[in-house]
Amino acid sequence: MNLKALEKTALSVRALSMDAIQKANSGHPGLPLGAAELGAVLYGEILRHDPTDPSWTDRDRFVLSAGHGSMFLYSLLHMSGYKISLDDIKNFRQIGSPCAGHPEYGMAPGIETTTGPLGQGLATAVGMAIAERMLAARFNTAAHKIVDHYTYTLVGDGCLQEGVSAEAGSFAGHLGLGKLIAFYDSNKITIDGSTDLSFTEDVKKRYEAYGWQVLAGSMYDMEGISKLVAQAKAEAKKPSLIILTSIIGKGAPTKQGTAGCHGAPLGSDEIAAARKNLGIEGDFFIAPEAVEYFKAKRADWKKERDAWKATFDAWAKANPEKKAEWDAFYAGKAAAALEMPKYNIGDKLATRAASNKALVAVSKAWPNLVGGSADLQGPNAVALPEAGVFSAANPSGRYIYYGIREFAMAAISNGISLHGGLRSFCATFLVFVDYLRPALRLSALMKQPVAYVMTHDSIYVGEDGPTHQPIEHLASLRVIPNVRVLRPGDAEETAVAWEMTMARKDGPTVLALTRQNLPVYAKADPDWRETIKTGAYVAKKPDGKADVVVLATGSEVSMALDAAAKAAGKKVQVVSVLSRELFESQPKAVRDAIIPAGARVVVCEAGVRSGWERWAKIEDIMSIDRFGESGPADKVAAHLGFTVDALAALIGK
Ligand SMILES: Cc1ncc(C[n+]2csc(CCOP(=O)(O)OP(=O)(O)O)c2C)c(N)n1
Ligand SMILES: [Mg+2]
């Protein structure tokens, strides 16, 4: 280990971070200064990566869970040769700069993901480690190992205080993810001050109880860190947490060790004093020894990647079928023809049951689809009987028993998706989307095509009562940018909804599905399978020009069809709105073809009114703007005025 060069690398991380944050007049120097030595060994010694090919499939992954410390990443990525220029760093936190405040996925090469929202990075890293293990099991052969990398993450006090780290830590321990290595920047400082204010638990015991190997050392002993990582790698059956005792803002003469350097520029006086103490010469200083070191390193990295490529080519030659599957996995394409179930008009089944049939079909066409439910496999109807169960003993299984950990489940799904090669789905009751919402938001922000299978989608849940009856949830999901909510009205629409989910590449889809049975209905639009992809289509057309157009979603479509039949004297058109936001994004001509100008619009959805006002007058919206009731589903619906007769009366007004 070239300690001298690595020390100079750490020094340069400090210099670049102080200056970029000062120039931006915004940012968090505490972490990059406090953890600079870890950064130097990590990027200089430990990581198996190649900055000239950031998408090399078998690179090690590093997730900065404590995303506020972003200058840590940018300075190291710059020095190791990723395409982040010094000018980019000088533009830290400015609009359009790849060096965003909290590194968002897709903006800069070399960033696997980082989570500004504390704790999620750890869970996302768990997802990446799961993906590595799954792909290794699927593709490696006795002769060739083409998937064999580690997932590292850096977490802070904040990440470990957040509940999601408990869910994810517990699950990673259960699965025995031996190739997951987390570093804990244990500086005992958060924004409010000392962790003595609120965090005195024994983290070591906690993670040991989860089934992790827990090691400890100093942040400033680079050889020690390297040995600890070797120890972590030697433990193949447990994830490892390496607790590194550190000083926040190390190197800032008066501010180090205090909350004052967590999230504010150090100020020019402090920087001047730090430069003098540390031997930093000038602005945006990068030590020549560090530059030389990484220059030399590039050849080593290339050698490693070339060696991998040779193995990969030999593997591809020896295993053409596996190679074809690999290509499909990484191209995000189906590997076989999709054969969706067929239905007859009048068949009665819940859309969750139809979703299961579709999911099973999809999983055959897409052998890279993996996922599971948070302890609701049966109720969510997501069993994949032929896909096997993923576990420590069976890494090629595709169904994941997440346990009751919705938030980690969704963050892990992001990690699986971000890893590359796999598509992920997760499932729970729609009402519990609130338990995973922060990860869904990141799926949307990071443009990850995770499928969220959310069943029991309305008051028709019935007896479980208001705690289990979603009311505001559809509306609250539709308002998240880049989240696509699909609420199919029958089994046939559900199959198309799954096709749309798999076709989407740039963001998550939420499938809102019923618990209760619904009839498969005849559809007026002969091209409905295509039209529905615009978000809505005409399910029933009247003779002649429509007086009233009913917009309904999910279970309310069949209700609207029944009501239309009863609404005497009106020419009623019924529209199934599979996805309101998708429909709203269509050109006017497409919308007008479905909702003809001049017709009165009536809306029916078993959820809050919010958002439908743009389509109908308030008095023409049949919605539920209160919490539900505990009782049999049809009685609850009647109690809330949700009946075919009530809708027919509204249409007839
Ligand atoms: C979910 C979430 N809650 C709150 C914050 C705001 N926040 C950013 S950093 C931070 C303190 C983090 O402390 P620690 O992880 O110890 O980082 P350090 O101060 O040591 O760099 C907080 C509360 C956040 N980013 N995410
Ligand atoms: Mg801290």
Side-chain angles (χ1 to χ4, degrees):
M1 179 181 277
N2 185 342
L3 260 186
K4 178 107 192 351
L6 292 178
E7 271 162 18
K8 292 289 182 184
T9 302
L11 178 71
S12 309
V13 170
R14 291 197 166 91
L16 288 176
S17 301
M18 284 193 288
D19 287 0
I21 292 165
Q22 188 65 30
K23 180 156 188 284
N25 196 22
S26 163
H28 301 74
L31 187 149
L33 270 66
E37 277 74 5
L38 171 64
V41 229
L42 196 57
Y43 278 80
E45 280 282 324
I46 296 170
L47 283 184
R48 184 166 166 269
H49 63 145
D50 182 354
T52 65
D53 184 8
S55 57
W56 173 22
T57 55
D58 203 34
R59 69 196 182 275
D60 286 340
R61 309 299 199 265
F62 171 65
V63 177
L64 181 66
S65 187
H68 57 277
S70 54
M71 270 312 302
F72 172 90
L73 261 181
Y74 298 137
S75 24
L76 288 159
L77 291 175
H78 171 69
M79 282 189 276
S80 26
Y82 286 88
K83 278 197 178 131
I84 291 183
S85 69
L86 202 53
D87 280 340
D88 292 333
I89 287 180
K90 288 179 182 169
N91 265 327
F92 177 51
R93 291 188 162 236
Q94 305 310 309
I95 292 172
S97 168
C99 300
H102 292 90
E104 290 158 37
Y105 175 74
M107 291 180 71
I111 290 176
E112 304 292 352
T113 180
T114 73
T115 51
L118 297 171
Q120 274 197 72
L122 175 59
T124 314
V126 171
M128 292 182 180
I130 288 174
E132 192 271 349
R133 181 174 273 188
M134 285 178 159
L135 291 165
R138 215 78 84 76
F139 291 111
N140 288 348
T141 60
H144 302 109
K145 254 191 181 181
I146 57 160
V147 183
D148 185 17
H149 54 265
Y150 286 85
T151 303
Y152 299 93
T153 179
L154 172 55
V155 304
D157 300 302
C159 295
L160 294 184
Q161 288 178 14
E162 291 290 354
V164 70
S165 69
E167 293 181 19
S170 161
F171 195 43
H174 167 78
L175 291 172
L177 297 175
K179 290 166 94 175
L180 173 67
I181 300 176
F183 301 101
Y184 171 21
D185 176 22
S186 177
N187 59 24
K188 291 192 175 290
I189 292 286
T190 65
I191 292 177
D192 279 353
S194 163
T195 49
D196 289 343
L197 293 169
S198 58
F199 190 53
T200 44
E201 71 184 31
D202 188 329
V203 169
K204 178 171 190 284
K205 282 191 184 152
R206 175 181 154 204
Y207 271 79
E208 280 170 351
Y210 290 152
W212 290 51
Q213 164 177 249
V214 182
L215 307 169
S218 161
M219 182 66 88
Y220 309 113
D221 174 4
M222 292 195 276
E223 281 180 321
I225 292 175
S226 178
K227 283 185 191 137
L228 290 172
V229 169
Q231 226 175 309
K233 287 184 173 177
E235 172 57 80
K237 295 207 164 124
K238 290 177 177 182
S240 293
L241 177 69
I242 301 179
I243 301 176
L244 296 173
T245 306
S246 67
I247 299 166
I248 190 169
K250 187 167 192 291
T254 71
K255 294 189 174 174
Q256 70 171 32
T258 73
C261 65
H262 158 86
L266 295 178
S268 45
D269 291 350
E270 184 84 359
I271 290 181
R275 281 183 184 171
K276 202 160 163 229
N277 291 350
L278 300 172
I280 293 170
E281 299 150 24
D283 290 349
F284 292 94
F285 171 75
I286 302 176
E289 294 90 335
V291 175
E292 280 308 308
Y293 178 78
F294 281 108
K295 211 191 235 168
K297 206 70 206 174
R298 263 161 237 167
D300 299 346
W301 287 329
K302 187 173 178 307
K303 237 183 257 163
E304 277 212 63
R305 189 167 60 92
D306 287 348
W308 175 85
K309 184 72 172 55
T311 310
F312 182 83
D313 291 344
W315 165 86
K317 212 165 165 204
N319 305 279
E321 275 174 25
K322 276 186 193 283
K323 170 66 164 55
E325 192 167 70
W326 172 280
D327 288 342
F329 276 34
Y330 279 91
K333 283 195 196 138
L338 175 61
E339 288 194 37
M340 277 294 190
K342 300 262 185 304
Y343 298 97
N344 297 310
I345 304 304
D347 286 354
K348 281 199 146 197
L349 69 166
T351 53
R352 63 172 165 151
S355 166
N356 186 243
K357 290 176 193 285
L359 175 62
V360 168
V362 164
S363 73
K364 287 179 183 155
W366 296 74
N368 65 337
L369 179 68
V370 304
S373 161
D375 201 46
L376 292 168
Q377 188 197 63
N380 295 150
V382 285
L384 295 174
E386 288 170 37
V389 172
F390 177 74
S391 68
N394 185 32
S396 56
R398 293 162 60 193
Y399 185 83
I400 302 172
Y401 281 104
Y402 277 109
I404 307 140
R405 303 182 178 99
E406 292 84 3
F407 188 4
M409 168 177 73
I412 287 170
S413 302
N414 282 335
I416 293 173
S417 177
L418 285 162
H419 178 278
L422 297 173
R423 293 283 300 254
S424 57
F425 74 90
C426 61
T428 184
F429 289 150
L430 180 61
V431 80
F432 299 138
V433 79
D434 289 336
Y435 271 52
L436 60 75
R437 185 180 301 268
L440 170 60
R441 185 172 192 272
L442 287 190
S443 309
L445 184 65
M446 300 191 293
K447 303 190 173 71
Q448 293 307 299
V450 175
Y452 289 81
V453 182
M454 304 283 118
T455 69
H456 297 59
D457 70 350
S458 72
I459 50 110
Y460 289 98
V461 166
E463 291 84 350
D464 275 337
T467 55
H468 283 52
Q469 294 167 352
I471 293 290
E472 74 281 23
H473 298 80
L474 290 169
S476 75
L477 293 170
R478 289 183 183 129
V479 297
I480 307 176
N482 201 34
V483 170
R484 181 169 294 167
V485 182
L486 304 181
R487 190 168 186 242
D490 72 359
E492 289 187 330
E493 290 185 20
T494 305
V496 181
W498 261 108
E499 286 174 31
M500 290 168 67
T501 301
M502 296 310 291
R504 186 162 199 223
K505 297 245 172 77
D506 60 355
T509 301
V510 176
L511 291 148
L513 304 163
T514 66
R515 173 189 185 222
Q516 75 276 24
N517 285 343
L518 297 172
V520 174
Y521 38 78
K523 286 124 179 119
D525 179 351
D527 294 326
W528 73 270
R529 284 173 196 280
E530 278 312 305
T531 318
I532 197 173
K533 291 176 186 163
T534 66
Y537 75 94
V538 177
K540 178 190 178 297
K541 230 179 167 37
D543 292 331
K545 197 169 172 291
D547 311 318
V548 180
V549 176
V550 183
L551 305 184
T553 76
S555 48
E556 285 67 74
V557 180
S558 45
M559 183 176 161
L561 292 168
D562 291 347
K566 282 192 165 185
K570 296 279 182 194
K571 290 188 187 300
V572 185
Q573 175 148 316
V574 176
V575 174
S576 173
V577 184
L578 178 70
S579 171
R580 196 182 71 202
E581 51 302 3
L582 186 56
F583 181 62
E584 287 173 350
S585 72
Q586 301 301 323
K588 186 167 181 303
V590 173
R591 287 181 274 128
D592 286 354
I594 300 219
I595 307 175
R600 175 179 157 236
V601 175
V602 166
V603 168
C604 183
E605 184 173 74
V608 293
R609 184 176 68 209
S610 178
W612 286 109
E613 304 90 332
R614 72 190 67 140
W615 290 104
K617 293 192 182 125
I618 284 176
E619 50 281 10
D620 286 340
I621 300 173
M622 193 163 153
S623 58
I624 301 174
D625 293 272
R626 47 156 289 184
F627 293 120
E629 291 285 348
S630 175
D634 52 342
K635 300 242 164 60
V636 173
H639 182 78
L640 297 171
F642 248 68
T643 61
V644 171
D645 287 343
L647 181 57
L650 177 61
I651 293 168
K653 257 196 205 160

